[in-house]
């Protein structure tokens, strides 16, 4: 009886720890799915407003309002903002480090432009493939706050697997009439996101606040999108409508979905670690994207067996790329 009781008592904490881990994993999957909702919202909002840049502007404005409100309520974040301004003014932190938000703005423009053409799933695969590829290059430079990481055989192999899987999925879409630039745009934005992550890491380390880095991204991206909006309107684009029809209100939540991703993953990273966080969030992102394209398809976004196999290949390649033995210390799953 004593032995049995002892066994039961020792199993309790282990079961509780496993439950906590699974709960954190589920929350992270939900966070990843929120990013697929962001892609669908921005993709549908662009045609309603009249231009993809208009959709990106609304998305970033919404996100900045939310992050700004949280920052104002956080004494630590306010202090971090003052520190960041002083560092930039004194040139101890290069001014161009605050331009990471330009990449985030391009991501949202890419969502609004290409999701209606090829669906959320294909966008997500192209974006993540670019992110992993860019990460391999950026890590070999001095940009990341953790220092330079030489490319290893495992990391190179993982990137090659990701690119091969993307090529399989892209070939089917190109054969179906999707233009070549459609997958290339999210791939390019994903590549630049790797640079954005390095800049964010520097700002976070300098200010002592991840919230400051996030707010800086949204502010920089919004300023760039205001300028881009002025340019496209000068070129003849017009703000044609606003999502006022029943059921369209959620199209304005693209920025909010991005904030949800950042908030939830910041809560679960301590429990999961970067490796599991990346895998769970990417799984949620791809799963949400394929469910959206399967249950609520847009023209050209039908999920086929090839799409599923391509997504599985992308996940497999990422798993190889971010294994601890491959030398990656940061996950590639996060974006603004």
């Amino acid at each position: 009886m004593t032995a049995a009781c002892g066994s039961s008592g020792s199993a309790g904490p282990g079961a509780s720890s496993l439950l906590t881990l699974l709960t954190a994993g589920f929350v992270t999957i939900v966070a990843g799915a929120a990013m697929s909702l962001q892609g669908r919202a921005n993709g549908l909002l662009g045609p309603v407003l009249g231009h993809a840049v208009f959709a990106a502007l609304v998305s970033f404005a919404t996100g900045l309002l939310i992050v700004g409100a949280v920052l104002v309520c956080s004494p630590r974040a306010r202090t971090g903002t003052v520190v960041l301004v002083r560092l930039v003014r004194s040139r101890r932190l290069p001014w161009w480090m605050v331009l990471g938000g330009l990449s985030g703005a391009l991501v949202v423009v890419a969502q609004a432009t290409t999701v209606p053409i090829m669906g959320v799933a294909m966008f997500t695969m192209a974006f993540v493939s670019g992110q992993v590829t860019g990460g391999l290059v950026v890590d070999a430079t001095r940009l990341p706050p953790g220092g330079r990481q030489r490319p290893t055989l495992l990391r190179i192999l993982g990137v090659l697997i990701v690119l091969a899987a993307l090529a399989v999925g892209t070939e089917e879409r190109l054969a179906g009439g999707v233009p070549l630039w459609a997958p290339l745009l999210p791939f390019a934005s994903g590549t630049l996101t790797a640079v954005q992550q390095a800049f964010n890491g520097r700002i976070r380390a300098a200010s002592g606040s991840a919230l400051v880095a996030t707010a800086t991204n949204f502010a920089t991206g919004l300023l760039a999108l205001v300028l881009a909006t002025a340019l496209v309107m000068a070129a003849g684009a017009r703000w044609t409508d606003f999502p006022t029809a029943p059921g369209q209100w959620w199209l304005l939540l693209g920025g909010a979905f991005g904030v949800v991703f950042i908030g939830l993953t910041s809560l679960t990273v301590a429990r999961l670690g970067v490796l599991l966080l990346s895998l769970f969030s990417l799984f949620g992102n791809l799963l949400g994207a394929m469910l959206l394209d399967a249950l609520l398809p847009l023209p050209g976004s039908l999920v086929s067996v090839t799409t599923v196999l391509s997504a599985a290949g992308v996940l497999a390649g990422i798993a190889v790329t971010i294994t601890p033995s491959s030398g990656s210390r940061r996950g590639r799953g996060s974006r603004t």
Side-chain angles (χ1 to χ4, degrees), residues 44-113:
L44 293 176
L45 184 61
V48 172
L49 299 182
H51 201 283
V53 171
F54 300 159
L57 178 68
V58 171
S59 180
F60 259 72
T62 304
L64 183 59
L65 284 174
I66 296 172
V67 174
V70 177
L71 188 148
V72 169
C73 296
S74 170
R76 180 179 178 181
R78 294 199 301 270
T79 301
T81 302
V82 174
V83 170
L84 177 62
V85 172
R86 288 175 179 173
L87 289 174
V88 173
R89 283 182 174 178
S90 64
R91 298 184 180 180
R92 284 182 288 174
L93 184 73
W95 63 268
W96 43 266
M97 283 282 182
V98 304
L99 300 181
L102 299 180
S103 173
L106 178 60
V107 171
V108 181
V109 171
Q111 286 176 334
T113 304

Side-chain angles (χ1 to χ4, degrees), residues 1-14:
M1 288 291 292
T2 303
C5 289
S7 298
S8 176
S10 63

Side-chain angles (χ1 to χ4, degrees), residues 134-144 147-151 155:
L136 183 68
V137 176
V138 171
D139 275 350
T141 71
R142 296 181 180 178
L143 284 178
R148 179 182 296 176
Q149 300 178 51
R150 294 181 179 179
R155 296 200 71 194

Side-chain angles (χ1 to χ4, degrees), residues 293-314:
D293 284 348
L295 301 177
L296 300 171
L298 297 174
S301 67
L302 185 63
V303 176
S304 64
V305 174
T306 302
T307 303
V308 175
L309 292 176
S310 180
V314 169

